[in-house]
């Protein structure tokens, strides 16, 4: 249990850096390069985050769970580690070809080809950083320190190097350098400090690891459809200025979900191994109480907060932020119910299918309502999406509660 609390602490430390550093760099960028170029930058960042999800292929969940359960089996850990790195490298190449194809069809990318290509360094750097390995062995201190240091470096580079619109191309360089440095150092720490041995597994092992992660991949991609994809779709269809207004609000909104996701990510490998329902209920209750207080504060002080962070040029982002805050009332409990509870007790299908169904509805509504060009409507779609996810996962909770006692005990016994 002490390991769990330490992992939560270190993950929260990383996310505090993720929270504080963007509060410095994003407002700085918004003021230095203007709404138009800021929208281009956020559209590119949104696309890179989606490509990272593709190259990750759900391994942050499947490999984490596999390594957590089999951490004492050195041969299996080495095999899993090597297979994941090889698969992610192949998927990174696929992502690069996707980017090349998009350049020929989407105006905002075609008009800023070099900018988007330089941003691809994020995908390359993410390939090497084995976050899933550190989560699996519940050793988050080293990776957390590396994350904080490298992100501080590239944020500092942005502030020092980007002075105005003429420095636009330096933005993706700074982001890419941070990810690449973090990736190589993280890989080195895993191999040197934790004695992981990398080798090229046979095709059977690669296929097995890929198949094991299929469900998690489609789940994570589905999540991206109603989170990361919003800015990209808006930027591609309505232009960079509209994307700038939306992404300014969305970045602050994502901070809340990121903090909750940290608790979920730290709790998941622990619950997968120990099935400690008493501790889960305590963490769920405390987190929900803190979340509601935070939601109330952010909703009521949205206007001064947005003006302070971005300036009055982004005043249209205020109402978007308020709508997104409302959606967290459903998002927070659904995140906590998902992998830490349902997936840990072999009910992943409710967690995964919830986001697949919700994402399909979300994209359909977004495409249908794009002609309205209303940021309020685009933001409101997310409320319905998060509600759908929560309802489906609550059905899973009901299934868990009604689970035959002998079956539930069997699941727990398998973890001991």
């Amino acid at each position: 249990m002490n390991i769990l609390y330490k992992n939560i602490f270190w993950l929260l430390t990383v996310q505090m850096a993720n929270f504080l550093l963007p509060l410095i760099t994003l407002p700085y960028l918004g003021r230095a390069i203007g709404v138009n170029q800021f929208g281009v930058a956020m559209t590119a960042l949104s696309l890179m985050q989606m490509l990272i999800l593709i190259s990750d292929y759900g391994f942050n969940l499947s490999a984490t769970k596999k390594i957590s359960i089999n951490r004492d089996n050195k041969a299996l850990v080495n095999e899993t580690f090597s297979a994941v790195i090889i698969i992610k490298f192949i998927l990174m190449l696929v992502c690069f070809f996707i980017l090349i194809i998009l350049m020929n069809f989407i105006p905002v990318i075609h008009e800023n080809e070099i900018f988007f290509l330089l941003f691809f360094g994020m995908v390359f750097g993410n390939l090497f950083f084995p976050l899933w390995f550190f989560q699996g062995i519940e050793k988050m201190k080293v990776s957390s320190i590396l994350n904080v240091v490298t992100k501080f470096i590239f944020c500092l580079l942005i502030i020092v190097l980007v002075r105005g619109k003429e420095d636009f191309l330096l933005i993706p360089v700074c982001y890419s350098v941070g990810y690449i440095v973090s990736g190589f150092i993280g890989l080195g720490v895993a191999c040197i400090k934790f004695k992981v041995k990398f080798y090229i597994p046979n095709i059977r092992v690669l296929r097995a690891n890929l198949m094991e992660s299929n469900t998690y991949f489609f789940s994570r991609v589905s999540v991206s459809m109603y989170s990361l994809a919003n800015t990209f779709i808006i930027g591609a269809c309505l232009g960079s200025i509209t994307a700038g207004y939306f992404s300014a609000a969305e970045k602050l909104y994502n901070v809340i979900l990121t903090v909750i996701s940290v608790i979920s990510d730290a709790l998941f490998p622990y619950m997968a191994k120990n099935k400690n329902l008493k501790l889960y209920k305590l963490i769920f209750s405390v987190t929900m109480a803190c979340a509601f207080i935070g939601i109330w504060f952010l909703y009521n002080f949205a206007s001064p907060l947005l003006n302070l962070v971005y300036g009055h040029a982004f005043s249209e982002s205020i109402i978007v932020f308020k709508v997104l805050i409302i959606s967290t009332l459903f998002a927070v409990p659904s995140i906590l119910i998902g992998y830490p509870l349902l997936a840990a007790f072999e009910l992943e299908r409710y967690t995964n299918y919830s986001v697949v169904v919700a994402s399909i509805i979300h994209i359909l509504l977004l495409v249908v309502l794009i002609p309205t060009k209303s940021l309020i409507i685009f933001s409101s779609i997310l409320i319905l999406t998060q509600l759908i996810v929560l309802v489906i996962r609550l059905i899973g909770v009901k299934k868990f509660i009604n689970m035959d006692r002998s079956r539930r005990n069997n699941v727990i016994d398998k973890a001991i």
Side-chain angles (χ1 to χ4, degrees):
M1 191 179 298
N2 288 333
I3 293 176
L4 172 63
Y5 291 141
K6 288 180 181 178
N7 287 335
I8 291 177
F9 168 77
W10 285 110
L11 284 169
L12 283 174
T13 300
V14 172
Q15 297 309 331
M16 282 301 294
N18 290 343
F19 170 69
L20 294 174
L21 293 177
L23 282 182
I24 299 173
T25 56
L26 292 182
Y28 176 81
L29 282 178
R31 296 169 189 266
I33 64 179
V35 176
N36 187 19
Q37 288 190 333
F38 181 81
V40 174
M42 294 303 102
T43 301
L45 183 61
S46 174
L47 176 59
M48 295 309 138
Q49 289 171 330
M50 288 190 291
L51 294 179
I52 286 174
L53 275 176
I54 294 174
S55 64
D56 278 343
Y57 204 78
F59 290 122
N60 284 346
L61 293 171
S62 64
T64 293
K65 182 177 181 180
K66 189 173 184 179
I67 290 176
S68 175
I69 295 174
N70 302 284
R71 68 184 68 173
D72 296 326
N73 186 337
K74 194 65 176 178
L76 184 57
V77 169
N78 290 336
E79 178 186 278
T80 303
F81 185 91
S82 302
V84 171
I85 293 295
I86 294 295
I87 294 171
K88 288 186 62 167
F89 179 79
I90 296 172
L91 292 173
M92 182 204 67
L93 297 178
V94 173
C95 289
F96 184 75
F97 285 113
I98 291 174
L99 176 60
I100 298 300
I101 292 172
L102 291 176
M103 285 180 178
N104 297 308
F105 294 97
I106 299 178
V108 69
I109 303 179
H110 181 70
E111 294 165 4
N112 300 275
E113 290 182 352
I114 297 178
F115 187 83
F116 278 77
L117 285 172
L118 290 173
F119 243 124
F120 192 79
M122 289 177 57
V123 184
F124 178 75
N126 180 76
L127 158 68
F128 298 103
F129 191 81
L131 177 63
W132 40 272
F133 170 75
F134 293 121
Q135 287 181 332
I137 63 173
E138 297 188 78
K139 298 289 185 180
M140 295 304 301
K141 180 178 179 178
V142 176
S143 65
S144 299
I145 293 174
L146 288 174
N147 257 307
V148 172
V149 172
T150 52
K151 288 178 180 178
F152 176 80
I153 291 174
F154 77 72
C155 286
L156 183 62
L157 287 174
I158 288 176
I159 295 174
V160 172
L161 299 177
V162 181
R163 296 295 185 177
K165 296 181 179 180
E166 65 278 5
D167 301 318
F168 187 53
L169 289 179
L170 292 176
I171 297 171
V173 173
C174 295
Y175 272 93
S176 294
V177 167
Y179 271 76
I180 292 171
V181 171
S182 176
F184 279 110
I185 295 177
L187 184 64
V189 170
C191 294
I192 297 172
K193 181 178 176 61
F194 296 102
K195 310 298 182 184
V196 178
K197 294 183 179 179
F198 175 81
Y199 64 95
I200 300 179
N202 59 47
I203 297 297
R204 179 186 58 80
V205 172
L206 295 176
R207 185 186 298 115
N209 278 273
L210 190 66
M211 295 300 292
E212 288 171 5
S213 199
N214 279 343
T215 303
Y216 297 99
F217 168 67
F218 289 113
S219 172
R220 281 299 169 98
V221 167
S222 298
V223 170
S224 74
M225 290 298 105
Y226 63 84
S227 55
L228 300 177
N230 288 313
T231 297
F232 176 71
I233 293 174
I234 291 173
C237 297
L238 300 179
S240 55
I241 293 179
T242 305
Y245 289 132
F246 182 86
S247 63
E250 189 184 42
K251 292 303 176 186
L252 293 182
Y253 155 77
N254 283 336
V255 169
I256 304 171
L257 300 189
T258 299
V259 172
I260 304 301
S261 294
V262 164
I263 298 173
S264 173
D265 289 344
L267 189 57
F268 174 54
Y270 176 85
M271 288 295 295
K273 185 174 181 63
N274 299 287
K275 308 295 190 294
N276 190 338
L277 281 173
K278 183 177 181 180
L279 177 63
Y280 170 81
K281 292 177 182 178
L282 174 63
I283 293 177
F284 181 90
S285 301
V286 173
T287 304
M288 286 299 302
C290 294
F292 279 122
I293 295 173
I295 290 169
W296 176 89
F297 176 84
L298 291 172
Y299 184 87
N300 285 282
F301 293 92
S303 182
L305 177 62
L306 267 292
N307 287 331
L308 174 65
V309 173
Y310 292 105
H312 294 284
F314 287 82
S315 58
E316 292 191 34
S317 301
I318 296 174
I319 186 62
V320 176
F321 183 67
K322 283 192 171 184
V323 174
L324 294 178
I325 285 297
I326 294 174
S327 74
T328 59
L329 292 172
F330 308 116
V332 172
S334 71
I335 292 173
L336 294 173
I337 290 172
Y339 288 101
L341 178 64
L342 297 179
F345 282 87
E346 301 181 2
L347 293 169
E348 294 102 327
R349 63 184 182 278
Y350 291 98
T351 299
N352 297 330
Y353 293 161
S354 64
V355 291
V356 172
V357 172
S359 65
I360 293 173
I361 295 174
H362 182 89
I363 294 301
L364 288 175
L365 288 174
L366 192 60
V367 171
V368 170
L369 297 173
I370 274 288
T372 66
K373 299 182 179 181
S374 171
L375 285 174
I376 298 177
I377 291 178
F378 300 154
S379 308
S380 299
I381 295 174
L382 200 58
I383 297 178
L384 176 62
T385 304
Q386 297 289 12
L387 178 60
I388 292 172
V389 174
L390 179 60
V391 169
I392 294 176
R393 292 186 178 185
L394 287 176
I395 294 173
V397 172
K398 183 178 180 181
K399 177 73 173 179
F400 171 73
I401 293 174
N402 295 332
M403 184 186 293
D404 181 80
R405 183 178 296 274
S406 61
R407 182 188 169 194
R408 187 187 303 177
N409 290 337
N410 181 54
V411 172
I412 295 175
D413 290 340
K414 287 165 62 179
I416 299 176

